[in-house]
Amino acid sequence: NAGVTQTPKFQVLKTGQSMTLQCAQDMNHEYMSWYRQDPGMGLRLIHYSVGAGITDQGEVPNGYNVSRSTTEDFPLRLLSAAPSQTSVYFCASSQPGSPRGWKLFFGSGTQLSVL
Amino acid sequence: QQQVKQSPQSLIVQKGGIPIINCAYENTAFDYFPWYQQFPGKGPALLIAIRPDVSEKKEGRFTISFNKSAKQFSLHIMDSQPGDSATYFCAASKNAGGTSYGKLTFGQGTILTVHP
């Protein structure tokens, strides 16, 4: 199984550009989420989804959009990139129920630099 | 504000030593406390987790100690090995009728180096 697949692995953007970070999982997990990882800050939740067509904001949602049209895919859109969005982005998935719901399966990350 | 505070930021031990990483939380609604391990270039992976109704959980060389009254928990790695060198994150989550699944609040991370 591939698990959680993120593309691209690396990306450089100029301020103001838009782009979409792709995330796909093949485990039929209902829950998917996006986190950003910054030095000294740990991982912070951007957006999450509890199923197709259902999304909600996390701790740091500003400047990002998400949609979930299928169970497998959960893309993250940067509307107008800013240097503050330079970070490593992780997509994760999990199954509902306790304690399975809190076992997150992470992708390998996308390293984004905004100049 | 950082709801889960983790220390130290970095830790260096010799092989066989027992590194200890500490976390403190503020929100008493948290009821699940996992630890994740991350190797360079990889995403975090669940290592071990504990619920607040127990004071200790052990899996292999990894042990979580939990102090509910102090709102603190810690990770101990027994007989540490160079292969344990990684970044460790504590986290917390609260059960809000199922809608909290997949939503974790992470600590800042600890970079552990185990020298041979």
Side-chain angles (χ1 to χ4, degrees):
Chain A
N1 278 347
V4 179
T5 302
Q6 291 185 237
T7 56
K9 291 191 181 298
F10 302 95
Q11 183 70 49
V12 178
L13 293 178
K14 294 181 179 179
T15 297
Q17 287 184 316
S18 63
M19 79 158 294
T20 299
L21 278 62
Q22 301 293 341
C23 176
Q25 54 96 4
D26 63 358
M27 297 173 284
N28 203 31
H29 284 172
E30 291 188 30
Y31 298 112
M32 297 186 74
S33 48
W34 277 100
Y35 288 83
R36 58 177 289 173
Q37 181 177 1
D38 302 290
M41 301 291 290
L43 290 93
R44 292 179 291 168
L45 181 64
I46 304 172
H47 285 285
Y48 69 98
S49 169
V50 298
I54 307 171
T55 64
D56 205 346
Q57 297 181 350
E59 181 185 354
V60 288
N62 293 341
Y64 307 95
N65 270 358
V66 291
S67 60
R68 182 112 178 259
S69 57
T70 67
T71 300
E72 294 78 20
D73 301 300
F74 191 43
L76 179 71
R77 298 182 187 85
L78 279 69
L79 308 174
S80 177
S84 61
Q85 294 178 305
T86 294
S87 186
V88 181
Y89 291 84
F90 288 99
C91 178
S93 71
S94 64
Q95 276 289 52
S98 175
R100 294 179 302 163
W102 292 291
K103 181 177 181 179
L104 270 59
F105 292 81
F106 283 88
S108 57
T110 294
Q111 188 169 326
L112 176 68
S113 295
V114 182
L115 306 178
Chain B
Q1 68 277 19
Q2 195 76 32
Q3 292 195 53
V4 178
K5 296 184 179 180
Q6 183 173 344
S7 63
Q9 280 190 307
S10 62
L11 188 54
I12 300 173
V13 300
Q14 294 295 318
K15 177 183 175 181
I18 306 175
I20 301 173
I21 304 170
N22 300 298
C23 286
Y25 64 98
E26 300 170 359
N27 191 339
T28 55
F30 287 143
D31 65 353
Y32 182 76
F33 302 90
W35 285 87
Y36 279 78
Q37 180 188 54
Q38 183 183 32
F39 293 105
K42 304 292 185 182
L46 180 65
L47 184 63
I48 186 173
I50 197 169
R51 302 294 295 267
D53 52 349
V54 298
S55 60
E56 184 176 281
K57 183 174 182 180
K58 187 178 298 186
E59 288 186 5
R61 295 184 294 107
F62 300 91
T63 299
I64 301 178
S65 298
F66 189 86
N67 186 330
K68 187 174 182 178
S69 61
K71 293 187 287 185
Q72 295 176 349
F73 57 110
S74 60
L75 176 70
H76 301 232
I77 305 176
M78 309 301 290
D79 187 28
S80 59
Q81 301 296 313
D84 296 329
S85 297
T87 300
Y88 292 82
F89 293 97
C90 62
S93 182
K94 51 188 175 182
N95 186 356
T99 59
S100 62
Y101 297 131
K103 296 171 62 178
L104 295 178
T105 299
F106 284 88
Q108 296 91 328
T110 297
I111 301 171
L112 172 66
T113 303
V114 181
H115 286 155

